[in-house]
Each structure stands twice: as structure tokens, then as C-alpha cells.
Amino acid sequence: MSKPVRVAILFSGRGSNMETLAQHLAKPDVPGQFVLGVSNRPEAGGIGLCTRANIPCAVIDHKAYDTREDFEADMQKALASARIDLICAAGFMRLLTPEFVTHWHNRIINIHPSLLPAYKGLNTHKRALDDGAKQHGCSVHYMRAEMDDGPVIVQKHVPVHADDTPDTLATRVLAQEHVAYPEALDIVLEKLASQQP
Ligand code: GAR
């Protein structure tokens, strides 16, 4: 049996995707282990989820750093000391430098609330509605140096309804995020687990 893949989850807010991944990783047949949460915001709701699940959480407040590089150096220290193999960004609202992303090449994945490559960046639901899009959704993808770029692992589509608001559409997409992320994680874990000693 190969060793379980050690997973860190990066988040900035309420942490519903982190919670979904945590539940998935707790299943005995999933070859990964959730060993570290990382939040860049001390007020993030997800921190309480880590505490309740007994998972250590590194709170690394980006506002306490003069540069992105210094902030990321402390993130790298926390990730290294937890011997992390794979990073899942789950609502982590901080741009990572190309150096950081390259360091974790194919070992850092992200969820984005749109059908990439459509609607990279913020306010995806409002932009889809403003465009009159009939379909919207979410994507889990390998991270690359460009924001919201990189090979897609799993996408889920949802219909856009005529009376949707950004909030109603976000709720429909979020339900699919909670399906897409565990599916994508399984695909990535299988690849990584086969490379573990
Ligand atoms: C999710 O909708 C996620 O796709 C989005 O933030 C939300 C976090 O919710 N991420 C991005 O927009 C990244 N560009 P959560 O904290 O409940 O998981």
C-alpha cells in the first residue's frame, strides 16, 4: 500500500468546499489525508471548521506582510513542515506568484465558479447573467502561472434560469462545486498515489 497523499486546503472564507473535501478525505478508501488548512484571512469562517474537525490551521494574514513573496515564504514554511504533497485551493482569494505555482506544478489544484475558460476572475455569476448565458457552472483545474488558467480536471454545468439573480445562480453552482471537487480530487489522488513511495 502506498502512503496517503498529504493534502493542504487553502481558503479565505466560509469554507464549504473545504468541508466537502474534508468529508471526502475522511473516507477510508480515499488515498489522501487532510493534514493542514491554510487561511489568509483571520476572520474566515473555515477556520472554525478546521478546529471542529481537529485539523491544524495555519492562519497567515497577507495584510501582515509587505510583499507577496514574504507572505508566500511563510506559506511555504507551513506547507513544508506539514510535509504536504498536494494543495487544494478552495475559495482562496489571493493571487499566487508564478514562482509559487511553478514550485507546486501539478500538485496544486483550484476550483473556480465558471465554465473555464469563460469568466476568469471575479463576479462570474453576474457576468454570466449580464451576457445572457444559458449555461454556467464550475471547473476544477490544475493551477498554472496565469490566473484561473490550467488543464481542466472536472467541469459541471448548470442551466441559467430567466429569473436568476447572481445569488440564486451562485447557489446552484455551489451545489455542483461540492460534487465536482471530490470527483477531481479522486482523479488527482489516483495519479499522485501511484507515484508515492
Ligand atoms: C466558491 O464558489 C469558489 O468556487 C469560489 O469562492 C467560493 C468559496 O466558497 N472561488 C473563487 O472565486 C476563486 N477564484 P466556499 O468558501 O464556501 O468554498
Side-chain angles (χ1 to χ4, degrees), residues 13-18 90-93 110-113 121 148 174 177:
R14 100 197 118 178
S16 73
N17 278 290
M18 176 180 65
F92 185 69
M93 305 307 278
N110 179 47
I111 188 155
H112 184 73
D148 299 330
L174 189 67
E177 292 186 37

Side-chain angles (χ1 to χ4, degrees), residues 9-24 34 44-50 52 89-92 111 113 170-171 173-182:
I9 304 179
L10 270 46
F11 62 95
S12 302
R14 100 197 118 178
S16 73
N17 278 290
M18 176 180 65
E19 190 172 27
T20 303
L21 292 179
Q23 285 165 0
H24 191 65
F34 178 23
I47 297 168
L49 294 176
C50 288
R52 286 194 286 284
F92 185 69
I111 188 155
T171 302
V173 171
L174 189 67
Q176 287 306 305
E177 292 186 37
H178 296 163
V179 179
Y181 219 161

